[in-house]
Amino acid sequence: KNNAVVSKNSKELADAIEWKVRNLITKRIIESATEKKLSATFIAKEAGTSRASVTKILKDDSFGTSIDVLIRILCAVGEEMKISFKKAA
C-alpha cells in the first residue's frame, strides 16, 4: 500500500506527516493491547503516564497526546518503531 503524504507546502506536509505518524502509532497500540489483553492500568504504569491518557488512546483518540508519550505507550505494549527517511522527489 502507498503511504505517501502529498502536500503543497512544508507546513501542510509537516502536519500531514504528524497526523499519519500519530495515527499509525495509535492503531498499533490498540492492536497490540487488544491482542495481548493488556489493561490500561498496566500500560500506564509501564509507560509512566496516566491511565486516563492510555484509556483515551485505546479509544482511538490521540489528539493532544505528544508523540513521545505515544512512543512510550507503544513500547509499554511490547512494540518497537522503525523510522526511515528518503530524499524528496
Side-chain angles (χ1 to χ4, degrees):
K1 68 185 175 185
N2 184 355
N3 286 326
V5 177
V6 179
S7 181
K8 294 180 178 159
N9 64 52
S10 60
K11 169 77 170 110
E12 284 182 11
L13 182 60
D15 288 346
I17 291 171
E18 180 183 359
W19 180 87
K20 183 73 173 175
V21 168
R22 181 180 300 283
N23 183 264
L24 289 170
I25 294 171
T26 301
K27 298 294 184 201
R28 184 57 65 98
I29 289 168
I30 294 167
E31 279 177 24
S32 188
T34 302
E35 181 181 292
K36 296 173 184 173
K37 297 181 170 117
L38 301 175
S39 71
T41 303
F42 172 82
I43 296 167
K45 183 177 177 184
E46 292 295 308
T49 193
S50 72
R51 185 183 51 77
S53 293
V54 172
T55 299
K56 182 178 165 193
I57 290 160
L58 292 175
K59 292 179 179 179
D60 201 13
D61 179 6
S62 62
F63 183 77
T65 304
S66 64
I67 298 290
D68 68 308
V69 170
L70 286 174
I71 293 169
R72 287 197 335 249
I73 294 169
L74 182 69
C75 293
V77 298
E79 297 288 335
E80 292 181 358
M81 189 170 141
K82 177 182 172 185
I83 299 174
S84 63
F85 297 93
K86 69 177 185 174
K87 293 193 184 269

